[in-house]
Amino acid sequence: MTARTPSDRAVARHGWPQALATVLGGLIAMGVVATLGLWAAGAADLPDGSFPKVIAATVVTAVGGTVELSGDAGALAGAEGGLTVMPLSVTLTGALVIGWGFLRPLRHRAVAGAPELAGWAARFLALWLLALLGLAYAARHTFEISLGEGALSDLGDLLGIRPEVGFAADVPLTVLVGLVWLAGVLLLALMVARGAPLPGRLLRFHTTVRPAAHAMVQLLLACVVIGLVVALAVAATRGRPTETFAVILLGLPNVVWLALTLGLGATWNGRVDGPFGLPMPRVLDEVLRTPDVSTLNLGTLAEHDGRVWWLPVVDAVLLLATAFVMAAVAPPRIRAWQHAVHMAVALALTVLMICLVGRVSARLGLSVLGIGDLGEGLAGQVLLDPQVWGALGLALLWGLVTGFAGALPAGLLRRRHEKQRAAA
């Protein structure tokens, strides 16, 4: 156990500047990534100076908030819709910055009291609450839209209709979900960082939970790195670099973590309809742009691009490497079958997290005198929803097999190392 120094106690009592710097740093990092991604996606050309408000709305959705779409033109026209999607590139950036800032004052310590950790968390949550309120009230704007050409436009001109469409963050829901998001980030940071201090009563989790949690985070980050390399190669060789950079800066984890679950054999249901979509590879858009809800899995993707059959191979390699790392850092007393169980549970929880944060629901509809909704290029829908139970079952199976297989070579290397040490 490491004794607390006077400087440690001073930091614990007066940690507001450190907490403020971390919260601001996380918001700035998220805002920069969102700005660049939206610019690459063409959102800078939105009318009426709405771009800064769209940036705020993007950050709101990145922490789990919901943006509602609405509008009207008196009693003769109306618009409705909603947007629920997490741009996980922005989310991941904020989580990494805030998690690092939360752990930094606690480094070089083996044990920290529960009241001290709770005090640090309370500072972050209080400051984050103020930030969420500011973002939620900033993420609202209304602008006039065109009725296009044809009968609907002529009817609008005749009646003097100028439809307006606006968006606004759901403030109570944004605050609630945003606080839960931050609490999850702080808890995950303590679980993952092997050097982070824990209360004495929780030290036993250092040798059981932390290896699995650390390995899962490494798996997710490895997927992002692989996806980034592939995306940069695509941008350099196939043109349209701005579209590729929009995917990277807004939704790269959305795509690669979705691909991770598809490689395990999971199935998602989805649909893309209308003039808009989300930043995604073209093959996904082709599979999902159908009259009805489509099934998204290895089979349907292979009908458009046979290279998707490499996904299970890549998943197997990544999971075996993850299991090996997890077993290598775990205590020697844990047996291979226990590693398999830990790996299965950790992978199932990881897939559940991907299913929760990877959902997409977006819809915009416009009507004039009851006509025009879902027509004339004025409306559309994007939907992506996982089959959760099937995905969790497959994750458990993959976790058991790869966890056991990855633990065997780790055990052999550990025993060989112990023999070499004994001989020396």
Side-chain angles (χ1 to χ4, degrees):
M1 183 181 298
T2 303
R4 293 182 58 186
T5 65
S7 60
D8 291 332
R9 290 193 292 268
V11 170
R13 288 196 305 268
H14 308 293
W16 287 102
Q18 292 90 339
L20 178 61
T22 299
V23 169
L24 289 178
L27 287 175
I28 292 172
M30 296 172 77
V32 169
V33 173
T35 300
L36 295 175
L38 291 169
W39 173 82
D45 298 328
L46 290 172
D48 301 332
S50 59
F51 187 52
K53 308 298 181 64
V54 174
I55 295 172
T58 302
V59 176
V60 164
T61 57
V63 298
T66 299
V67 175
E68 298 176 348
L69 308 177
S70 62
D72 58 53
L76 302 178
E80 56 85 21
L83 176 64
T84 303
V85 58
M86 293 184 71
L88 291 179
S89 293
V90 182
T91 305
L92 181 61
T93 300
L96 291 175
V97 172
I98 293 175
W100 176 83
F102 174 66
L103 294 176
R104 189 172 183 275
L106 303 173
R107 67 193 187 282
H108 308 313
R109 307 257 305 277
V111 179
E116 180 185 0
L117 294 177
W120 277 108
R123 293 182 182 92
F124 278 79
L125 289 170
L127 294 171
W128 190 245
L129 172 62
L130 297 177
L132 287 174
L133 289 172
L135 283 172
Y137 283 108
R140 56 183 61 207
H141 190 76
T142 301
F143 49 88
E144 187 176 300
I145 63 172
S146 171
L147 292 176
E149 299 179 356
L152 192 60
S153 176
D154 295 338
L155 181 61
D157 293 338
L158 177 65
L159 299 176
I161 297 174
R162 295 292 181 267
E164 292 183 342
V165 172
F167 62 87
D170 186 328
V171 177
L173 185 60
T174 295
V175 170
L176 176 61
V177 178
L179 289 176
V180 173
W181 177 86
L182 180 65
V185 169
L186 301 183
L187 179 61
L188 185 60
L190 286 174
M191 292 174 57
V192 169
R194 288 178 291 176
L198 290 174
R201 295 181 179 179
L202 301 180
L203 285 179
R204 63 183 182 274
F205 293 108
H206 180 76
T207 57
T208 56
V209 175
R210 272 185 170 169
H214 184 76
M216 288 301 108
V217 171
Q218 286 184 320
L219 171 65
L220 294 176
L221 293 179
C223 291
V224 173
V225 171
I226 294 172
L228 178 61
V229 172
V230 173
L232 292 176
V234 170
T237 58
R238 298 189 181 180
R240 297 187 176 182
T242 55
E243 294 182 5
T244 303
F245 281 110
V247 174
I248 292 173
L249 293 166
L250 292 177
L252 181 61
N254 297 72
V255 176
V256 297
W257 295 347
L258 170 65
L260 174 66
T261 65
L262 293 173
L264 299 178
T267 297
W268 293 63
N269 299 318
R271 185 188 181 204
V272 175
D273 177 56
F276 63 88
L278 295 172
M280 64 177 66
R282 185 172 299 176
V283 63
L284 291 180
D285 188 83
E286 291 174 354
V287 173
L288 297 177
R289 195 171 288 277
T290 55
D292 299 317
V293 175
S294 303
T295 299
L296 181 66
N297 55 32
L298 288 174
T300 56
L301 284 171
E303 296 175 0
H304 297 265
D305 192 339
R307 291 172 298 179
V308 299
W309 290 114
W310 283 101
L311 288 178
V313 178
V314 175
D315 277 10
V317 172
L318 288 174
L319 290 175
L320 286 171
T322 301
F324 176 84
V325 171
M326 186 180 75
V329 301
R333 67 176 183 274
I334 299 180
R335 299 178 180 179
W337 69 267
Q338 293 174 307
H339 284 298
V341 173
H342 294 169
M343 179 75 177
V345 174
L347 184 60
L349 291 175
T350 301
V351 169
L352 176 61
M353 182 275 296
I354 295 173
C355 291
L356 293 176
V357 302
R359 297 173 183 267
V360 177
S361 176
R363 183 180 183 275
L364 173 64
L366 173 69
S367 63
V368 177
L369 291 178
I371 64 174
D373 192 34
L374 301 181
E376 302 291 334
L378 297 172
Q381 182 182 31
V382 178
L383 174 69
L384 189 62
D385 207 30
Q387 295 183 8
V388 178
W389 293 111
L392 294 182
L394 289 166
L396 287 171
L397 179 61
W398 276 81
L400 287 171
V401 174
T402 58
F404 187 83
L408 293 178
L412 291 174
L413 288 177
R414 178 182 286 117
R415 286 191 293 270
R416 179 180 299 179
H417 181 66
E418 291 174 352
K419 289 180 180 179
Q420 291 174 349
R421 291 181 61 186

